Amino acid sequence: MSLVQKYNVPGPRYTSYPTVPYWEENLFSIDQWKNAVIQSFIATNKSEGISLYIHLPFCESLCTFCGCNKRITKRHDVEKPYITALLKEWDLYCELLPQRPNIKEIHLGGGTPTFFSSDNLTSLINGLFKNANKAKDYEFSFEGHPNNTTYEQLQTLYNLGFRRVSFGVQDYAEKVQKAIHRNQPFHNVAKVTFWAREIGYTSIGHDLIFGLPFQTLEDVLDTIAKTNSLQPNRIAFYSYAHVPWIKGNGQRGFKDEDLPKDDVKRKLYEIGKKELLKHNYTEIGMDHFALKSDSMTKSFETGKLHRNFMGYTSSKTEVMIGLGVSSISDSWDAFAQNEKTLEDYYAKLDEDKLPIFRGHILNSEDLIIRKHILNLMCQFKTSWNDANTYFSEIETVLSNLTEMEKDGLLKFKNQSIIVTEKGKPFVRNICMAFDLRLKRKAPQTQLFSMTI
């Protein structure tokens, strides 16, 4: 049996710990959440500021590889009411906070942020700063769809302080694009990449996916070659998460047998990674690569790389407020998720309530485990040599890792673990050994995508 076959099991991507299915919602209250936000804000606003993730859910067409929360519509009259709702939600948070927040990061995600007009994007960002300041060394970023991102949108967001943009590419093969309902010619991606560079964006990212239906080694090589010709600063090379059981995710446009499996899928990644490393990209974290000059690489090299619900980021803030339908917020000691339908989201705001429907208060064990998983995800190593990193079940965790040590995926050294080069593709599996909540209560049905 190959290592891929051995370790290819359902597992979390660990944008949080505990993962959402293991939140103790019955022990959570809105008042606890508000207090957790206030306490973390007081402790960190002046030193590090806060982050905002803003979910913009609208898309004009459905991409069948996507598991994100979205609303498909061609009606652009939905934009202004949604911007109004976002700013009302932000006002409710600002009323809660004891002083003006210093915003360190803003990330516009989706959905399709470039569904929104330049005027409405301007109204959103300017509205946020009526009650807030820009923190020192702030970093604003957004996701752009190459088919509908305009020069005007790029220029507008640049003028508003955005310097980082990522474009969803996925794969350039026509048969793959047809299967995932994402007809996107290379010249569209090249055009927006050149525009962003011309305007002055300092970090341009491309998101690629391996393991898509009908995808072959030749397709991956062609996609990587085209990507290398544009030299984006950052590349996310994700494993396709096949989660057809999630309601409304649209993953019904192809059959399971159309997907590359196990060792074949892993080969797609290995050959893509080899090509990226050959073209001066550095592997940073899980499925992410960046040029040596990019701030993400520098954060990885200095041990400052961080991971949260927005993915990898080059700086950390303890307070991350998620605005918009389905967004998740993090106060470090607590998580909270917004209502998942537009109707419920609007209804809560109409009652002048934060639009939260569930959350989790982290206990002391959660906080330590979270630290270890972040270390593994961001630095490929962790240690338990002091009171802040030691926990009572560490010996149980280590015994769960002995098989991985035998397989050459990690090394034990002086109360620490170092993930080997061979083990990097299996970092999700290594993190799962630390996931005590998962170990104590294994799911009865499949909750997560496959790890490989």
Side-chain angles (χ1 to χ4, degrees):
M1 180 188 293
S2 71
L3 289 178
V4 171
Q5 291 169 324
K6 182 175 182 178
Y7 291 108
N8 192 25
V9 296
R13 296 202 174 208
Y14 292 111
T15 50
S16 75
Y17 182 82
T19 56
V20 176
Y22 289 93
W23 286 5
E24 295 175 321
E25 298 176 37
N26 59 318
L27 302 179
F28 174 85
S29 72
I30 300 294
D31 285 341
Q32 285 176 303
W33 165 245
K34 289 179 177 178
N35 185 61
V37 171
I38 291 169
Q39 295 308 312
S40 288
F41 176 84
I42 291 171
T44 63
N45 181 50
K46 288 184 179 178
S47 58
E48 63 182 34
I50 72 168
S51 298
L52 295 183
Y53 170 75
I54 303 174
H55 191 69
L56 302 172
F58 303 110
C59 299
E60 288 193 347
S61 64
L62 177 67
C63 302
T64 58
F65 67 88
C66 178
C68 299
N69 184 294
K70 66 268 180 186
R71 181 68 64 95
I72 308 302
T73 181
K74 292 186 183 296
R75 291 179 48 196
H76 284 263
D77 58 356
V78 298
E79 293 182 36
K80 285 189 177 179
Y82 191 71
I83 297 293
T84 299
L86 288 172
L87 293 176
K88 181 169 184 178
E89 184 185 0
W90 176 235
D91 285 344
L92 291 174
Y93 273 108
C94 289
E95 290 169 10
L96 185 67
L97 302 176
Q99 61 191 96
R100 285 174 71 91
N102 297 315
I103 299 177
K104 174 82 169 181
E105 287 188 281
I106 295 175
H107 183 71
L108 307 181
T112 307
T114 48
F115 176 96
F116 287 74
S117 71
S118 295
D119 286 346
N120 284 328
L121 291 170
T122 299
S123 296
L124 170 61
I125 303 304
N126 286 341
L128 296 175
F129 285 100
K130 287 181 180 176
N131 297 313
N133 306 316
K134 291 179 182 176
K136 183 183 178 184
D137 300 326
Y138 64 87
E139 185 175 89
F140 300 165
S141 58
F142 73 97
E143 299 164 12
H145 192 317
N147 284 356
N148 68 14
T149 300
T150 66
Y151 191 94
E152 181 188 19
Q153 286 170 320
L154 286 165
Q155 185 67 64
T156 295
L157 287 167
Y158 182 87
N159 294 343
L160 290 165
F162 286 73
R163 295 294 180 269
R164 194 163 72 80
V165 56
S166 60
F167 296 114
V169 174
Q170 325 326 336
D171 188 280
Y172 286 116
E174 288 186 16
K175 64 183 180 298
V176 176
Q177 291 187 357
K178 183 177 180 181
I180 63 175
H181 200 232
R182 179 87 170 199
N183 180 24
Q184 185 171 274
F186 172 69
H187 66 78
N188 284 6
V189 180
K191 179 176 64 177
V192 293
T193 299
F194 291 143
W195 280 349
R197 197 163 281 144
E198 175 188 314
I199 287 168
Y201 283 81
T202 54
S203 186
I204 300 165
H206 286 189
D207 295 344
L208 313 179
I209 298 179
F210 66 93
L212 290 168
F214 306 111
Q215 196 178 44
T216 65
L217 288 174
E218 290 73 23
D219 296 330
V220 169
L221 284 170
D222 180 65
T223 294
I224 296 288
K226 287 183 168 72
T227 301
N228 281 329
S229 74
L230 300 176
Q231 281 285 285
N233 305 77
R234 300 179 185 180
I235 294 173
F237 191 32
Y238 293 111
S239 167
Y240 165 59
H242 189 54
V243 286
W245 57 86
I246 294 180
K247 182 179 178 181
N249 75 353
Q251 294 182 353
R252 299 289 190 277
F254 43 85
K255 300 173 185 175
D256 282 2
E257 54 263 35
D258 298 327
L259 297 167
K261 298 292 193 302
D262 295 340
D263 289 306
V264 175
K265 182 180 180 183
R266 198 67 220 168
K267 191 79 181 288
L268 298 178
Y269 177 76
E270 294 299 340
I271 198 167
K273 173 181 172 179
K274 183 179 178 182
E275 289 300 303
L276 291 171
L277 295 178
K278 198 161 61 175
H279 287 82
N280 299 317
Y281 288 95
T282 299
E283 185 175 18
I284 49 162
M286 181 180 70
D287 301 339
H288 280 68
F289 300 82
L291 294 175
K292 296 188 187 303
S293 57
D294 192 81
S295 62
M296 194 81 90
T297 303
K298 293 172 183 174
S299 293
F300 175 70
E301 291 173 345
T302 58
K304 294 180 179 178
L305 189 67
H306 182 54
R307 184 171 171 84
N308 57 27
F309 292 106
M310 297 188 288
Y312 283 106
T313 174
S314 55
S315 63
K316 168 187 162 290
T317 66
E318 285 201 359
V319 179
M320 191 198 81
I321 302 297
L323 303 178
V325 62
S326 80
S327 286
I328 300 179
S329 299
D330 179 1
S331 74
W332 204 255
D333 294 313
F335 300 129
Q337 183 173 28
N338 282 353
E339 296 286 355
K340 297 180 79 170
T341 70
L342 278 170
E343 292 74 17
D344 291 337
Y345 175 72
Y346 287 148
K348 284 266 179 77
L349 288 170
D350 285 343
E351 297 174 6
D352 295 327
K353 296 178 180 176
L354 289 176
I356 292 166
F357 88 103
R358 65 177 171 185
H360 176 82
I361 307 299
L362 283 77
N363 61 33
S364 57
E365 180 189 83
D366 289 339
L367 289 166
I368 292 174
I369 299 297
R370 179 187 195 183
K371 190 176 296 184
H372 285 296
I373 288 176
L374 277 172
N375 288 344
L376 289 165
M377 281 281 174
C378 298
Q379 301 169 31
F380 294 123
K381 60 184 178 181
T382 194
S383 61
W384 51 94
N385 52 11
D386 59 47
N388 294 320
T389 54
Y390 182 83
F391 57 101
S392 60
E393 295 191 45
I394 184 64
E395 296 303 326
T396 302
V397 169
L398 297 181
S399 67
N400 293 334
L401 290 168
T402 53
E403 187 73 15
M404 294 185 190
E405 182 193 25
K406 290 176 185 175
D407 287 331
L409 307 185
L410 56 88
K411 294 178 180 178
F412 294 118
K413 183 180 179 182
N414 301 330
Q415 293 186 293
S416 68
I417 289 170
I418 300 170
V419 180
T420 64
E421 199 63 35
K422 185 179 179 181
K424 286 180 180 179
F426 303 94
V427 69
R428 287 169 71 183
N429 302 80
I430 296 170
C431 289
M432 286 169 67
F434 280 83
D435 190 339
L436 297 181
R437 289 183 178 271
L438 181 66
K439 295 294 180 188
R440 290 167 185 156
K441 188 178 179 182
Q444 300 302 305
T445 58
Q446 189 168 345
L447 300 176
F448 308 109
S449 62
M450 304 300 279
T451 55
I452 309 300

